Amino acid sequence: QVQLVESGGGLVQAGDSLKLSCAASARTFSHYAMGWFRQAPGKEREFVAAITWSGDYTSYADSVKGRFTISRDNAKNTVYLQMNSLKPEDTAVYYCAFRWGVRSASSGDYPYWGQGTQVTVSS
């Protein structure tokens, strides 16, 4: 069983930055990919970013490319999402997700999810 805990959400103004963190449970894992997804009110959950175990390969949704950066610290079993130049349309609950193997942009490929952290960007 994998447990994920997100943190770092909050209320910011447009143009500000936030850094989300997602810590996996204390067991030592290897060769797993991590992803960030988000869900705005009334909308379906959408892919934001994903990263491989090594951290060498990342993927981003077009809407966040150049503004968001995903990274990980395997020694801490933690993945991060640095969000810069935030826009009101980035407002959503952000979820981290865990899967064995390669990264994926499909939420259905991730069996483990965190509880979510709210990000609200005011204009």
Side-chain angles (χ1 to χ4, degrees):
Q1 186 71 17
V2 176
Q3 294 182 330
L4 304 172
V5 179
E6 301 102 332
S7 61
L11 171 63
V12 297
Q13 294 186 333
D16 286 351
S17 297
L18 272 179
K19 187 173 185 177
L20 306 183
S21 299
C22 174
S25 49
R27 286 180 55 195
T28 301
F29 299 114
S30 64
H31 299 91
Y32 61 90
M34 296 289 289
W36 285 98
F37 292 78
R38 66 186 182 187
Q39 188 166 19
K43 294 187 177 181
E44 294 187 352
R45 190 170 299 188
E46 64 175 3
F47 170 74
V48 176
I51 189 168
T52 56
W53 159 252
S54 65
D56 291 342
Y57 297 96
T58 56
S59 303
Y60 296 94
D62 288 342
S63 59
V64 306
K65 279 181 182 177
R67 299 188 299 122
F68 290 11
T69 302
I70 188 171
S71 62
R72 65 190 296 165
D73 183 342
N74 290 339
K76 298 180 179 179
N77 286 338
T78 300
V79 65
Y80 306 97
L81 186 68
Q82 177 66 47
M83 306 185 294
N84 298 329
S85 302
L86 282 162
K87 304 175 181 180
E89 51 263 45
D90 294 319
T91 295
V93 177
Y94 283 71
Y95 299 89
C96 67
F98 174 113
R99 73 183 304 266
W100 301 108
V102 301
R103 72 193 189 282
S104 172
S106 174
S107 61
D109 289 339
Y110 291 83
Y112 300 105
W113 293 80
Q115 82 288 351
T117 185
Q118 177 71 47
V119 172
T120 303
V121 184
S122 64
S123 57

